[in-house]
Amino acid sequence: MAVRLTLDTSVKYIKGIGEARAAAFSRLGVETVGDLLEFYPRGYEERGRIVPVADTLNGELCAVEITISETSAPRYIRGNLSVFRSKAADESGSMELVFFNTPFMAKSLAKGRRFRAYGRMKIGVRGREMVSPKLEPIVEGKTLPYYVPVYKLAVPLTQKNISSAVAEVLHLCDGIEEILPLEITQNMGLISRGEAIKLMHKPADKKELSLARKTLAFTELAVFRLALSGMRKNIHKEKAFPLKMANTGIKNFFSKLPFELTGAQKRSVKEIFADLEKGTPMARLLQGDVGSGKTAVAAAAIYLCVKNGFQACLMAPTEILAAQHKKTMDKFLSPFGIKTELLISGLPASEKRRVREGIKDGSVNLVVGTHALITDNTEFHKCALAVVDEQHRFGVRQRAALLQKSEIDGSRAHMLVMSATPIPRSLSLIIFGDLDVSFLDELPPGRQKIETKVVSGDDTEKVYSFIRKEIEKGGRAYIVCPLIEESESGDDDRRAAESYYKDITDGALKGIPAGLLHGRMKPAEKAAVMEDFAQGETKILVSTTVIEVGVDVPEATVMVIENAENFGLSQLHQLRGRIGRGKNRSVCVLVNRNGGSDGVERLRIMRDTCDGFKVAEADLERRGPGDFFGERQSGEFSFACAAIGDMSMLGETDLLVKQILADSENPVYTAVFQAADKFLERTGGGLTVN
Ligand code: ADP
Ligand code: MG
């Protein structure tokens, strides 16, 4: 029985899908035909960019147009494993196609037939060959698509299943409703939503794809901005306890700090204090580079809160970092009679109970902990300030839970979130539209500058001997690799931590105690490896990017980053911030293994710039805002398209959102408000969980 399909029909009724494949679709978040249309390809094979065979490079993923000259009969090697080869050529040169376990295909590769073949070119002793290429017959009068979409899969779905299901329903795009009034989008040179969705699945060329993406990204961003402004409006409507400076001895606190605050710190403190004395909750982001002194600013806010007779809490993403903060806060605050306790899941049960009782009866003024703080049954006596460190690790939802926890008599706690990675000013106002932002764009005086060098893969021996020398002088070294283990298929030749560790401990750096750290290890194992390195039991730490957060080993003077060309600049900067924390000169070595000129150029920026905001600006210029959205996205917001939006577009959404808010009763905006509500629902209602 054929069902008439609409956007709301279950995908199981699409020809060729059925129950089993529908279940797989469901795992991908696709239930209805409408969902399927909004299930955009995760990438595109650019099969229309034809390269002459003779121009192809070894290892290049490319498309060639070839004519078959000869095909061998399938040969059986071992049991049912079979192989056959075809000789083929274009005007420029010849090559071979190799096929495993598809003997039935040999017949179709008859002499004289023409194909577009897409795959990875290998140049070996027998010349050029492609193993298991994707073939499309070239037929007179029929053009092959320039782009072939690649979808995310779930067993048993294949690319072909998805693309033919999409083809079955693509005509329904015409019935997709607009979110933004068509007039507005068309004025901006964009197209209708339905048309854009259609083109996402079937773009004729680069231009069409980019127009489709731009249209969808613009809508997504506008909805996102509208949702954030709703959150922000809501939070400023709530009540909070005003925290005043009078009679708190705050001047004395500042004069007893072990250092004079920088200008940027003073400015941020002023902005924060101005928020705190209002009767509405603060929702502020404190942005600053590694080492810019965010902790001291937070301590000032905590001091003010406690001296107003309330409690404060400080949430960190890891136990290591929480323990570190507890120590620092004691140093800053205990001279003023402020009692701080640590609450992490690693504590013995009796200790946890004792701390919790102190929090409940109010004898503890400041509690520092991981999110155990919010997930477990902690009850505050009177918490008026919640500080969240390394904000990108937490979602809006977790922050909301913390706020809810700290609510007393209908008043909410003030919230200060601190970022780990600087985000360019222009962008941060957009991405963090639900928060006010303070910038710590100045480092405390007298910092050691980290020297950054860019080397190629051929310089490895020199790098090893440099590491050895630094360790002999009492230093320690981090080595960061992009992968945990080597890729089995062999099509990813980036360095892996496991094999790197093996290579150096068996070879060039034999005899120097080394540790291995990666994200697949259990938390206790990770902590032990870190501890060994911090204590100097090991001198080298080979790891993936898991060391990004919360590591403080002043003796570490070297950081080697393998395949540095693969990382975002902000991420490299973040990693680099793990060294240069002691008295000695520190060196960061960026190993560039894939000498593309763009890659080298980016690494030069790292060599020449130590300022995190400048690095972030450069990243934004080169790669667009996608990476920064990625950060915000971790675990909460998901964008299908916005990641590739350009900056001018972000500015335009800003104007548009203002226009919409000013005319919010206008029925032309009903759809976009509905979409914003749906967005908030999906993200747990943001800051206004009740
Ligand atoms: P981050 O912003 O990365 O969290 P921290 O707050 O950990 O930075 O500060 C880094 C170091 O700088 C700490 O050792 C801190 O004591 C020191 N510091 C902070 N502010 C100043 C200042 N104004 N002058 C001198 N040292 C400072
Ligand atoms: Mg910090």
Side-chain angles (χ1 to χ4, degrees):
M1 181 196 69
V3 173
R4 213 183 80 97
L5 300 173
T6 68
L7 293 172
D8 297 323
T9 317
S10 159
V11 286
K12 75 177 174 215
Y13 296 112
I14 300 175
K15 201 172 110 199
I17 297 301
E19 297 287 347
R21 289 186 181 127
F25 266 127
S26 173
R27 272 179 276 133
L28 295 167
V30 175
E31 307 287 346
T32 64
V33 168
D35 294 342
L36 176 61
L37 289 172
E38 287 187 54
F39 183 65
Y40 308 130
R42 69 175 165 77
Y44 299 85
E45 288 173 354
E46 201 181 356
R47 295 197 200 172
R49 189 182 61 92
I50 305 295
V51 185
V53 169
D55 289 351
T56 56
L57 303 173
N58 191 18
E60 184 179 4
L61 196 58
C62 57
V64 291
E65 277 181 357
I66 38 98
T67 308
I68 304 292
S69 55
E70 185 188 337
T71 293
S72 72
R75 204 157 48 80
Y76 286 82
I77 27 178
R78 268 186 285 130
N80 47 10
L81 186 63
S82 77
V83 61
F84 74 89
R85 289 175 167 271
S86 294
K87 290 199 167 91
D90 65 6
E91 274 103 63
S92 75
S94 61
M95 61 181 290
E96 288 194 3
L97 310 175
V98 188
F99 297 89
F100 290 98
N101 294 333
T102 47
F104 51 88
M105 272 182 58
K107 272 204 292 298
S108 56
L109 289 158
K111 179 173 177 185
R113 287 202 66 187
R114 299 191 64 217
F115 292 94
R116 180 165 87 177
Y118 180 83
R120 198 173 290 282
M121 188 65 81
K122 263 196 197 148
I123 307 181
V125 281
R126 321 175 48 144
R128 286 183 160 78
E129 64 176 33
M130 259 187 203
V131 178
S132 314
K134 292 172 190 164
L135 295 182
E136 296 158 288
I138 296 173
V139 184
E140 199 70 43
K142 192 180 150 223
T143 42
L144 292 169
Y146 186 85
Y147 282 116
V148 174
V150 182
Y151 296 93
K152 192 169 166 203
L153 295 179
V155 185
L157 285 172
T158 62
Q159 292 297 345
K160 208 158 173 192
N161 291 150
I162 298 186
S163 48
S164 39
V166 168
E168 286 288 323
V169 296
L170 207 57
H171 64 280
L172 292 172
C173 282
D174 299 336
I176 289 177
E177 282 175 23
E178 296 303 315
I179 289 181
L180 291 172
L182 203 52
E183 243 173 62
I184 291 180
T185 37
Q186 280 175 346
N187 259 342
M188 296 191 52
L190 303 175
I191 50 180
S192 78
R193 184 171 163 74
E195 183 65 18
I197 290 177
K198 195 186 277 179
L199 293 184
M200 285 300 283
H201 296 285
K202 225 181 154 180
D205 52 33
K206 260 191 186 138
K207 235 175 83 195
E208 278 195 2
L209 180 59
S210 126
L211 189 59
R213 277 180 165 162
K214 243 176 128 167
T215 299
L216 296 171
F218 184 76
T219 310
E220 268 187 345
L221 285 172
V223 168
F224 171 66
R225 300 272 290 127
L226 205 58
L228 288 189
S229 76
M231 278 198 225
R232 181 183 172 124
K233 213 164 73 212
N234 281 334
I235 191 143
H236 288 303
K237 260 195 284 189
E238 312 247 356
K239 275 199 307 181
F241 292 105
L243 307 174
K244 308 268 186 199
M245 281 165 70
N247 306 319
T248 56
I250 187 76
K251 282 225 173 83
N252 188 34
F253 168 78
F254 286 125
S255 67
K256 295 266 162 62
L257 280 178
F259 40 71
E260 160 102 19
L261 291 184
T262 64
Q265 282 172 316
K266 284 183 188 158
R267 198 181 58 233
S268 300
V269 166
K270 221 165 144 186
E271 288 165 354
I272 291 167
F273 281 15
D275 285 356
L276 292 176
E277 68 174 21
K278 288 186 203 146
T280 57
M282 169 171 79
R284 183 169 286 276
L285 172 70
L286 179 61
Q287 271 228 65
D289 214 339
V290 184
S292 57
K294 293 185 281 289
T295 323
V297 173
I302 292 167
Y303 177 92
L304 194 75
C305 171
V306 174
K307 292 297 170 187
N308 270 267
F310 295 94
Q311 290 174 302
C313 64
L314 168 54
M315 189 158 103
T318 64
E319 303 210 342
I320 301 176
L321 206 55
Q324 224 163 275
H325 275 320
K326 155 82 166 81
K327 265 198 234 161
T328 314
M329 287 300 160
D330 266 336
K331 216 172 59 198
F332 285 141
L333 299 170
S334 68
F336 304 97
I338 294 175
K339 187 171 173 204
T340 303
E341 289 281 6
L342 183 65
L343 184 63
I344 51 178
S345 48
L347 297 178
S350 60
E351 174 71 2
K352 265 191 258 183
R353 209 173 313 121
R354 186 187 64 76
V355 173
R356 286 227 167 84
E357 270 158 26
I359 298 170
K360 194 173 172 190
D361 69 21
S363 59
V364 172
N365 305 120
L366 167 65
V367 52
V368 180
T370 57
H371 38 261
L373 202 66
I374 53 162
T375 51
D376 297 359
N377 42 347
T378 302
E379 280 179 62
F380 287 97
H381 181 61
K382 253 168 99 174
C383 180
L385 172 66
V387 182
V388 184
D389 194 17
E390 310 282 354
Q391 95 84 31
H392 70 294
R393 299 268 157 161
F394 294 104
V396 163
R397 230 175 296 190
Q398 276 167 306
R399 288 192 328 239
L402 181 72
L403 276 186
Q404 202 180 5
K405 193 109 244 170
S406 57
E407 179 176 331
I408 349 156
D409 306 333
S411 281
R412 283 204 193 282
H414 297 281
M415 187 176 59
L416 178 66
V417 297
M418 306 196 281
S419 77
T421 325
I423 293 178
R425 230 169 251 269
S426 50
L427 202 54
S428 110
L429 300 175
I430 290 168
I431 297 184
F432 295 102
D434 55 334
L435 303 169
D436 297 301
V437 188
S438 292
F439 293 91
L440 278 187
D441 43 11
E442 180 186 349
L443 287 186
R447 273 297 146 73
Q448 284 273 346
K449 200 168 154 256
I450 299 165
E451 209 176 299
T452 300
K453 293 183 191 299
V454 181
V455 305
S456 83
D458 303 336
D459 296 324
T460 318
E461 290 308 318
K462 273 191 238 159
V463 173
Y464 289 153
S465 74
F466 175 68
I467 291 176
R468 197 177 268 284
K469 257 193 239 138
E470 282 290 307
I471 290 173
E472 278 163 14
K473 284 197 306 198
R476 272 167 233 168
Y478 293 105
I479 298 172
V480 180
C481 298
L483 302 179
I484 298 179
E485 59 186 334
E486 265 166 35
S487 110
E488 252 172 44
S489 56
D491 56 5
D492 190 340
D493 48 15
R494 292 175 300 166
R495 296 302 314 255
E498 280 181 347
S499 57
Y500 200 106
Y501 173 80
K502 221 168 152 291
D503 288 352
I504 59 163
T505 48
D506 288 349
L509 296 170
K510 205 169 163 172
I512 301 178
L516 173 66
L517 184 73
H518 59 69
R520 238 182 261 154
M521 291 159 60
K522 297 202 182 73
E525 287 176 284
K526 274 195 265 186
V529 170
M530 255 340 292
E531 192 56 22
D532 281 348
F533 185 65
Q535 295 303 322
E537 300 286 324
T538 53
K539 304 287 184 194
I540 298 176
L541 185 63
V542 182
S543 98
T544 54
T545 53
V546 288
I547 52 154
E548 243 184 287
V549 155
V551 176
D552 192 15
V553 181
E555 294 84 357
T557 53
V558 184
M559 168 160 294
V560 177
I561 304 178
E562 274 290 343
N563 298 104
E565 73 278 2
N566 275 284
F567 293 94
L569 294 185
S570 293
Q571 197 182 10
L572 289 175
H573 182 71
Q574 180 76 12
L575 286 166
R576 180 168 66 176
R578 300 300 133 206
I579 56 170
R581 301 183 154 228
K583 288 182 294 297
N584 294 325
R585 180 188 82 129
S586 291
V587 180
C588 174
V589 182
L590 303 175
V591 185
N592 170 34
R593 290 197 176 260
N594 204 350
S597 59
D598 178 55
V600 174
E601 182 52 34
R602 290 193 321 117
L603 297 183
R604 273 201 206 110
I605 295 175
M606 289 304 295
R607 187 191 63 192
D608 299 338
T609 320
C610 274
D611 176 333
F613 282 103
K614 289 214 182 96
V615 168
E617 292 286 354
D619 226 3
L620 178 62
E621 254 167 52
R622 254 143 240 279
R623 314 220 302 184
D627 289 355
F628 300 100
F629 273 100
E631 196 127 289
R632 174 100 217 204
Q633 199 171 339
S634 56
E636 49 180 13
F637 301 144
S638 58
F639 293 101
C641 288
I644 38 79
D646 60 37
M647 277 308 290
S648 63
M649 203 158 69
L650 290 174
E652 308 233 26
T653 58
D654 206 29
L655 290 177
L656 177 59
V657 165
K658 284 202 183 106
Q659 182 187 330
I660 295 174
L661 286 172
D663 190 18
S664 60
E665 300 300 316
N666 191 332
V668 298
Y669 298 133
T670 309
V672 65
F673 274 108
Q674 272 168 0
D677 281 343
K678 221 158 96 192
F679 184 97
L680 283 181
E681 234 167 76
R682 224 178 46 220
T683 58
L687 296 171
T688 53
V689 175
N690 282 308

